[in-house]
Amino acid sequence: MKIIIPLPPITKKNSQRILINGRTGKPFVAPSLKYKQYEENAGFFIKRAGGYSGGFPANVKCLFYMTTKRRVDLVNLLESVDDVLTYYGIMPDDSSQYIGAHDGSRVYYDKENPRTEIII
């Protein structure tokens, strides 16, 4: 299964927010608004791909095409993809029981066509 998300890749951990739970008054860490917008926009492309019906644990190969050559943490990008795939039901969970590896995942530079290519 191949999914292409034609949006600039974004990590979940950059610019996290600390919010206060209105009921308990306890603080918690929430993803940035920029990530939440990415998650919502990526859903359009992920839903079109349909569900994954292969075996588990699966290899989730991700090719990230960034708009700049600035250093980026591959692990944080992979975490974002895993969470989005789980959020939209492509994967039941992002544990090692379902996502066994990210073999072949890389970060590339493509200023004109930023995107994430996911091959499961």
Side-chain angles (χ1 to χ4, degrees):
M1 155 177 229
K2 185 172 185 175
I3 302 168
I4 297 175
I5 303 171
L7 304 168
I10 190 168
T11 66
K12 190 173 186 176
K13 290 193 175 189
N14 289 354
S15 304
Q16 290 180 325
R17 303 173 290 157
I18 298 176
L19 303 175
I20 304 295
N21 183 317
R23 227 171 16 104
T24 65
K26 293 186 179 191
F28 67 96
V29 177
S32 69
L33 293 174
K34 191 174 178 181
Y35 172 79
K36 292 304 287 178
Q37 186 64 53
Y38 173 82
E39 181 180 66
E40 184 179 321
N41 293 341
F44 173 78
F45 305 101
I46 290 173
K47 289 181 208 175
R48 290 177 48 193
Y52 173 67
S53 59
F56 296 107
N59 182 60
V60 179
K61 177 182 175 181
C62 300
L63 305 176
F64 300 99
Y65 294 86
M66 308 300 288
T67 58
T68 69
K69 293 183 180 180
R70 192 175 339 154
R71 290 186 343 169
V72 64
D73 190 330
L74 176 61
V75 173
N76 288 345
L77 289 169
L78 292 170
E79 180 184 0
S80 294
V81 166
D82 291 352
D83 288 345
V84 169
L85 291 175
T86 302
Y87 183 80
Y88 286 103
I90 301 298
M91 297 304 239
D93 191 353
D94 62 356
S95 70
S96 61
Q97 181 180 357
Y98 298 103
I99 299 176
H102 290 101
D103 293 346
S105 295
R106 301 277 187 276
V107 176
Y108 297 107
Y109 169 71
D110 188 343
K111 184 176 183 175
E112 303 302 320
N113 188 20
R115 66 195 178 280
T116 302
E117 297 180 5
I118 305 166
I119 299 101
I120 304 173

